[in-house]
């Protein structure tokens, strides 16, 4: 029987409720069920059918589609929990991966993760990107990504897409950096296709602190679903997590704790304001206050020198970190009054300096927001330095799990 004209039109436009939508929804349901399994646990088709409510015939058809797309693979017979003949186990295909990338003020980085989020490869290259044209920076990152692609290919791994984290306000839909003051970029479109040419999913754009916060979500203790992630780099970024979901606000720019004013009579910030947190607690501000400004050293060497000075009890270094801790406390106290987060996670140099930063930070929090945070609610990152690229990569994987049809032939 011929399909009615209206139904045919709806099918062609992908309107809600057509058979294509139902199949895509069920494909995502099956993919998500397989993806949520802990390492070493392999569901069979019968397990998937029983836990999703789909028929065994539907699950078998959907699994074939996922196998053909290379997203899952069979692992052999799995006798656990089934009567009669054991079924064949299923798992995410370790031969498919995504790439997380990061552009920051003084380095670029890239890393390859499998679909379960395990970091397989990573490389960081120090590079001064201040006031650089975007083209050469993207080209340098593309070269780094290409080298990791070659290494991944040598291991039999195909990279299907990626995510890029940048320290600034971004518009992912237009692949544009709206404002990244410490890079000197404003209203800058990025050629994301150049980073992973030919990849099926392309490259998605993220704010650096938001991406790092996403990486923290899966690694927080059970029940810790509300937290503010604070990223300490040359600038200071923030990612706000509520109910285990990243909250970015209507325009996607919520959580910018680095530009909370902590010193109204202070110095000019790169954002154009005055007295922002990053003018006191950003890397450059701490190095300057510790008497290390202008030294011709790399970021890692500068941090190492600061740590050495702190270890030796250098008064200038201690005073600089104390001042940063107090200012961070003011910003967090103000933020906590507006958004009722349950805890704070410190990343970047705040995590590195935790041993010296914690006491002035806690004292400041107690002064300006008494009883709001206990010492146990102030923790350091569980992910570490790769947080931004892991979060960017993980978000791409999550999108793929929710829409596996994107990789179907």
């Amino acid at each position: 029987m011929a399909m009615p004209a209206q139904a045919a039109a709806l099918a062609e436009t992908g309107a809600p409720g057509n058979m294509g939508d139902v199949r895509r929804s069920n494909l995502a349901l099956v993919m998500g069920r397989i993806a949520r399994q802990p390492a070493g646990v392999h569901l069979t088709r019968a397990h998937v059918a029983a836990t999703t409510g789909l028929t065994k015939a539907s699950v078998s058809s959907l699994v074939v589609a996922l196998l053909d797309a290379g997203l899952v693979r069979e692992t052999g017979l799995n006798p656990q929990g089934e009567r009669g003949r054991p079924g064949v186990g299923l798992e995410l295909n370790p031969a498919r991966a995504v790439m997380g990338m990061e552009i920051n003020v003084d380095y670029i980085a890239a890393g390859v993760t499998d679909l379960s989020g395990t970091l397989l490869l990573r490389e960081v290259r120090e590079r001064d990107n201040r006031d650089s044209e975007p083209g050469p920076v993207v080209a340098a990152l593309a070269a780094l990504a290409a080298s990791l692609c070659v290494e991944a290919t040598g291991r039999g791994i195909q990279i299907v897409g990626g995510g890029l984290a940048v320290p600034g306000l971004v518009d992912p839909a237009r692949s544009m950096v709206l404002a990244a003051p410490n890079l000197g970029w404003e209203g800058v479109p990025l050629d994301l296709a150049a980073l992973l040419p030919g990849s099926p999913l392309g490259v998605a754009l993220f704010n650096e602190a938001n991406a790092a916060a996403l990486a923290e979500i899966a690694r927080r203790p059970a029940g810790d679903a509300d937290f503010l992630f604070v990223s300490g780099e040359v600038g200071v970024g923030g990612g706000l997590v509520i109910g285990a979901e990243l909250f970015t606000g209507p325009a996607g720019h919520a959580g910018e704790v680095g530009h909370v004013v902590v010193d109204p009579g202070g110095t000019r910030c790169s954002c154009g304001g005055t007295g922002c947190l990053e003018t006191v607690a950003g890397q450059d501000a701490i190095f300057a206050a510790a008497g290390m400004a202008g030294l011709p050293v790399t970021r890692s060497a500068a941090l190492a020198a600061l740590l050495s000075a702190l270890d030796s009890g250098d008064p200038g270094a201690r005073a600089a970190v104390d001042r940063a801790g107090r200012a961070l406390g003011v910003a967090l106290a103000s933020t906590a009054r507006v958004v009722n987060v349950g805890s704070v996670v410190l990343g970047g140099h705040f995590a590195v300096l935790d041993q010296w930063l914690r006491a002035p930070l806690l004292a400041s929090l107690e002064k300006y927001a008494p009883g709001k945070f206990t010492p146990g609610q102030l923790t350091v990152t569980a992910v570490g330095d790769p947080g931004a690229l892991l979060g960017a990569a993980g978000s791409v994987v999550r999108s793929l799990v929710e829409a596996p049809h994107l990789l179907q032939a």
Side-chain angles (χ1 to χ4, degrees), residues 178-196:
L178 300 177
N182 291 309
L183 289 172
W185 295 357
E186 184 173 354
V188 172
L190 299 181
D191 183 9
L192 299 181
L195 294 173
L196 291 176

Side-chain angles (χ1 to χ4, degrees), residues 373-403:
F373 294 105
T374 66
Q377 291 173 304
L378 184 67
T379 60
V380 298
T381 171
V383 182
D385 284 346
L389 61 84
L390 282 175
S395 187
V396 173
V397 171
R398 180 175 178 178
S399 297
L400 180 57
V401 169
E402 293 173 351

Side-chain angles (χ1 to χ4, degrees), residues 24-373:
R24 284 191 289 270
S25 177
N26 288 341
L27 195 68
L29 183 63
V30 172
M31 178 72 175
R33 191 69 188 85
I34 296 170
R36 287 194 298 272
Q37 293 309 297
V41 177
H42 303 134
L43 296 181
T44 66
R45 289 165 175 79
H47 286 138
V48 174
T51 56
T52 61
L54 299 174
T55 66
K56 290 183 180 180
S58 293
V59 168
S60 292
S61 173
L62 295 166
V63 167
V64 168
L66 294 173
L67 289 168
D68 289 344
L71 291 173
V72 302
R73 72 171 184 178
E74 296 178 326
T75 62
L77 296 180
N78 179 12
Q80 298 178 354
E82 290 190 8
R83 293 182 177 180
R85 185 178 178 181
V88 176
L90 302 165
E91 69 175 2
L92 295 177
N93 188 355
R96 296 293 181 270
V98 297
M99 184 177 294
M101 293 164 280
E102 183 181 1
I103 293 172
N104 220 304
V105 178
D106 45 9
Y107 66 90
I108 56 175
V112 177
T113 77
D114 63 21
L115 299 184
S116 65
T118 301
L119 185 61
L120 307 174
L121 301 166
R122 177 178 176 241
E123 187 170 344
V124 180
R125 293 180 183 172
E126 294 196 334
R127 187 182 193 279
D128 187 359
N129 297 318
R130 297 171 194 263
D131 300 317
S132 295
E133 289 296 319
V137 179
V138 171
L141 183 57
L144 175 57
S147 69
L148 290 185
C149 284
V150 169
E151 189 170 350
T153 300
R155 298 186 183 189
I157 297 170
Q158 179 191 359
I159 295 173
V160 298
L164 170 64
V166 176
L169 304 181
V170 300
D171 182 346
R174 293 189 291 164
S175 301
M176 179 175 286
V177 177
L178 300 177
N182 291 309
L183 289 172
W185 295 357
E186 184 173 354
V188 172
L190 299 181
D191 183 9
L192 299 181
L195 294 173
L196 291 176
S199 64
L201 300 181
V203 177
L205 183 62
F206 301 89
N207 167 269
E208 170 264 334
N210 284 344
L214 285 170
E216 292 290 330
I217 291 174
R219 296 163 175 84
R220 301 308 299 162
D224 190 5
D226 307 305
F227 63 89
L228 175 67
F229 177 83
V230 186
S231 171
E233 300 286 346
V234 170
V236 176
L240 182 59
V241 175
I242 299 176
E245 294 288 340
L246 184 67
F247 178 79
T248 58
H253 304 151
E256 285 294 308
V257 68
H259 298 289
V260 171
V261 176
V262 297
D263 183 6
T267 58
R268 188 85 163 168
C269 180
S270 61
C271 73
T274 298
C276 297
L277 174 62
E278 75 173 44
T279 66
V280 181
Q283 276 183 18
D284 284 355
I286 294 175
F287 292 154
M292 299 171 55
L295 295 179
V297 294
T298 64
R299 165 181 172 265
S300 57
L303 271 175
L306 178 61
L307 291 173
S308 177
L310 290 167
D311 273 331
S312 65
D314 180 83
R318 291 287 180 92
V321 173
D322 283 353
R323 178 172 175 257
R326 290 193 300 272
L328 180 56
V330 172
L332 294 180
S334 300
T335 303
R337 298 299 193 190
V338 177
V339 184
N340 189 28
V341 292
S343 59
V344 174
V345 181
L346 302 178
H349 67 256
F350 294 138
V352 175
L353 298 173
D354 179 61
Q355 177 182 343
W356 297 275
L357 189 79
R358 178 170 289 266
L361 172 53
L362 287 172
S364 183
L365 283 171
E366 185 58 28
K367 179 178 180 180
Y368 298 109
K372 183 63 180 173
F373 294 105

